Amino acid sequence: MGKALKPGVTIKGTKDGLLFFLDDSRPFSAVLNELKYKLEHHSASQIWDGPEMKVKIKLGQRRITKPEEIAVRELFSIRKNLIIHEFESDGMPYLADFEPGIQMLTGTVRSGQVLTHTGDLLFLGDVNPGGTIQCTGSIYVLGALRGLAHAGSKGDETAIIAASVLRPTQLRIADVICRPPDQWDESEVGMRFACLADNQIIVEKMHHLSRIRPDKEWKENSKKL
Amino acid sequence: MGESIVITSGKGGVGKSTTSANLGTALALTGKKVCMIDTDIGLRNLDVLMGLENRIIYDIVDVVEKNCSIDQALVKDKRCDGLYLLPAAQTKDKTALTSNHLRWLVGELKEEFDYILIDCPAGIEMGFKNAVAGADQAIVVTTPEHAAIRDADRVIGLLEKEKVAPPKLIVNRFRKQLVREGGMMDVDEVVSVLAVDLLGVVPDDERVIRAGNQGEPVVFDNDSLAGKAYRNIARRIQGEMVPLLAFKEEKSVVYKMKKWLGFA
């Protein structure tokens, strides 16, 4: 079989579920169109309406972005029994803009020093007045944040800034800048976080975070074995 | 082989030169051979504080330009035997020295002296970099004020990049009374912000100014609390464990009266 004839989407059944091989040699949009066609018109086959099945998407040498992943997931949403279990690229993380989770750093960011980081950062130490901590993701400081913190520096408006002692000279999330009140309320002790709400930075107690980020909320598993 | 210690602060006027003069004298009083280097070219004043201004013949720039030998430029202190000063030049500016000059100079002096105290100019420019270049250790002087602490923090950050041991902190011009009233940061607060080891706390004492104007470091004054604090710091530099001074507040006459009568 010649290369040109190789289908963009190959489906294989295994005992664990279905494997979708998306050809990495042709444009992703072409592959998506073919996937769409197959999902919508493969009525001859029983598998689209059968029992629930796990789906694994193999991307070969290709890596995709988050919007591309969402596009694939949307195509699959028309087939309720097909549940995307995972994406996989050969020997590498499948997301092109992959950020390896949360990273931890320690030390002190002193006056005049700038700590820049890609992704989320857990910083164990103090950020002193005049010091800057800048992340494309969220910033979590186990220590005193007395300097400037800029979360979501590439425009991520969902980023938050949390600190054991939140006493910054200035906070920035995405493009929004705010300055804390000149006098800190002495009752405001304990861990706090700042996030964006209606294009304004608000500071809340830590336990309010689950209200703002319900998707991240931890819940006790009700199903007991 | 001696130790070289740079005394720096970032901000001006927090008491670098006063600290240098007093620590140098205090170390010399314990029998060590000490050389103080003033690197504040163009704005020298360590010689004034030591009362040695009129004895200067050659200065540090003459030494590095080989107009004289190191020994010729060293000014012997008028009170202590083992104490020498290498004065700064007043007619030149900071560009007259380079880091390599200081490294060479300190290396030479280390052969002969137990301690070399390098008095650093204010700021973080070339003068600072030169002064730090020859140092093995660093002492950061700050007052318990936000502006001074900010600059000290910056300097500590810069020192961490250099080949010096982690800097030690001296909190200068500390006023217990003012801390009690909430008008000044406490030592614990300063140390927690700067996150470095505390070498000592020097109380605010008008005798420091009086002594400086007379060209006689306050460590000679046995009644002065600041002098005692400097002597303790000198002992700590030599590795002794000395507890921090407990600063008593000035009690009012009424209080003393009550105490005497047994009311308080």
Side-chain angles (χ1 to χ4, degrees):
Chain A
M1 212 200 307
K3 200 178 177 178
L5 292 172
K6 193 181 165 196
V9 179
T10 315
I11 306 164
K12 272 188 189 169
T14 68
K15 67 178 195 315
D16 293 328
L18 291 175
L19 286 179
F20 277 69
F21 290 91
L22 305 190
D23 187 15
D24 56 16
S25 61
R26 57 184 82 189
F28 197 69
S29 56
V31 176
L32 274 186
N33 281 335
E34 191 170 334
L35 180 66
K36 187 174 184 218
Y37 179 83
K38 285 200 169 168
L39 285 171
E40 283 172 357
H41 300 282
H42 223 289
S43 51
S45 173
Q46 293 287 308
I47 58 166
W48 297 154
D49 300 305
E52 265 188 22
M53 238 183 295
K54 280 183 186 171
V55 171
K56 192 172 181 176
I57 312 241
K58 303 275 266 180
L59 298 160
Q61 290 295 317
R62 191 201 300 277
R63 299 173 87 181
I64 58 170
T65 61
K66 199 79 192 168
E68 286 173 336
E69 182 190 337
I70 290 165
V72 173
R73 283 182 188 274
E74 266 174 15
L75 290 181
F76 272 88
S77 64
I78 61 163
R79 300 289 173 188
K80 297 284 181 237
N81 61 322
L82 297 182
I83 295 149
I84 296 182
H85 190 58
E86 65 175 316
F87 287 79
E88 198 179 84
S89 297
D90 294 344
M92 52 190 172
Y94 72 95
L95 281 177
D97 46 2
F98 174 74
E99 284 148 12
I102 185 166
Q103 211 190 323
M104 195 194 87
L105 291 172
T106 63
T108 306
V109 181
R110 298 188 180 278
S111 179
Q113 296 177 330
V114 182
L115 166 57
T116 48
H117 179 75
T118 313
D120 294 349
L121 178 66
L122 175 64
F123 186 72
L124 279 74
D126 293 349
V127 182
N128 280 352
T132 304
I133 188 165
Q134 193 179 45
C135 281
T136 55
S138 296
I139 299 169
Y140 312 98
V141 180
L142 273 184
L145 173 56
R146 304 188 193 93
L148 189 159
H150 189 180
S153 56
K154 294 254 172 71
D156 180 6
E157 295 184 353
T158 63
I160 67 161
I161 299 166
S164 315
V165 180
L166 192 65
R167 286 279 188 278
T169 43
Q170 203 180 79
L171 288 176
R172 298 179 188 179
I173 299 176
D175 300 328
V176 183
I177 298 174
C178 93
R179 176 181 60 80
D182 287 328
Q183 279 295 317
W184 282 99
D185 190 350
E186 283 305 315
S187 65
E188 282 190 23
V189 286
M191 278 226 192
R192 270 156 203 276
F193 74 93
C195 68
L196 267 187
D198 301 327
N199 233 13
Q200 274 195 322
I201 294 177
I202 56 166
V203 173
E204 290 276 13
K205 280 189 182 147
M206 217 47 157
H207 61 255
H208 290 294
L209 186 55
S210 58
R211 248 185 265 164
I212 292 152
R213 293 282 131 69
D215 54 313
K216 295 275 189 218
E217 190 178 4
W218 169 86
K219 284 204 178 73
E220 192 180 17
N221 198 350
S222 51
K223 278 183 233 161
K224 290 233 170 83
L225 292 171
Chain B
M1 195 71 174
E3 268 178 70
S4 57
I5 306 170
V6 64
I7 293 160
T8 180
S9 73
K11 190 175 178 296
V14 295
K16 279 181 300 298
S17 295
T18 310
T19 303
S20 303
N22 283 292
L23 287 186
T25 310
L27 283 167
L29 284 173
T30 63
K32 300 284 177 192
K33 276 200 89 178
V34 183
C35 178
M36 300 180 290
I37 306 179
D38 190 351
T39 61
D40 203 348
I41 317 287
L43 294 166
R44 75 171 176 210
N45 42 36
L46 190 53
D47 52 316
V48 183
L49 290 173
M50 296 297 295
L52 299 172
E53 199 179 7
N54 50 13
R55 302 179 188 213
I56 296 171
I57 298 160
Y58 294 109
D59 56 50
I60 189 167
V61 176
D62 289 323
V63 174
V64 299
E65 285 177 355
K66 306 278 195 254
N67 295 335
C68 68
S69 69
I70 297 177
D71 288 343
Q72 278 178 303
L74 288 176
V75 181
K76 190 179 172 300
D77 187 60
K78 52 188 175 190
R79 284 143 296 198
C80 291
D81 274 341
L83 184 61
Y84 291 83
L85 170 73
L86 183 57
Q90 186 70 343
T91 52
K92 312 274 174 25
D93 64 28
K94 305 270 190 297
T95 54
L97 279 187
T98 67
S99 303
N100 285 336
H101 285 147
L102 255 295
R103 249 178 242 129
W104 163 78
L105 190 57
V106 172
E108 294 286 313
L109 289 168
K110 267 196 209 170
E111 304 286 325
E112 206 177 324
F113 291 93
D114 298 316
Y115 289 99
I116 294 119
L117 300 183
I118 306 162
D119 184 24
C120 179
I124 52 169
E125 293 80 22
M126 197 173 163
F128 166 78
K129 288 186 182 119
N130 289 345
V132 171
D136 307 322
Q137 296 184 41
I139 293 175
V140 174
V141 183
T142 185
T143 55
E145 294 161 284
H146 285 290
I149 289 164
R150 184 79 59 96
D151 292 0
D153 193 40
R154 178 95 172 95
V155 160
I156 293 167
L158 293 171
L159 285 170
E160 281 169 353
K161 283 193 241 167
E162 302 286 335
K163 277 186 250 159
V164 288
K168 301 256 170 62
L169 183 71
I170 292 178
V171 178
N172 200 7
R173 287 212 207 111
F174 181 72
R175 289 165 73 173
K176 189 79 196 169
Q177 185 87 34
L178 204 54
V179 171
R180 186 71 54 89
E181 290 161 10
M184 189 181 253
M185 287 168 89
D186 205 349
V187 175
D188 294 342
E189 215 178 329
V190 177
V191 173
S192 85
V193 169
L194 295 177
V196 289
D197 291 341
L198 182 67
L199 189 60
V201 182
V202 181
D204 194 27
D205 188 344
E206 63 175 45
R207 283 189 240 207
V208 176
I209 301 165
R210 205 172 287 162
N213 286 339
Q214 286 164 3
E216 186 167 293
V218 79
V219 279
F220 286 112
D221 186 347
N222 282 323
D223 301 330
S224 162
L225 209 52
K228 188 153 199 289
Y230 280 123
R231 285 196 294 276
N232 283 352
I233 291 168
R235 285 164 68 193
R236 287 188 201 109
I237 289 172
Q238 295 174 75
E240 254 185 85
M241 297 290 280
V242 188
L244 285 176
L245 286 178
F247 300 119
K248 291 189 293 278
E249 283 178 52
E250 295 275 320
K251 296 286 189 317
S252 67
V253 181
V254 182
Y255 180 89
K256 281 178 185 163
M257 205 70 153
K258 276 186 180 172
K259 180 124 185 161
W260 183 61
L261 293 167
F263 287 127

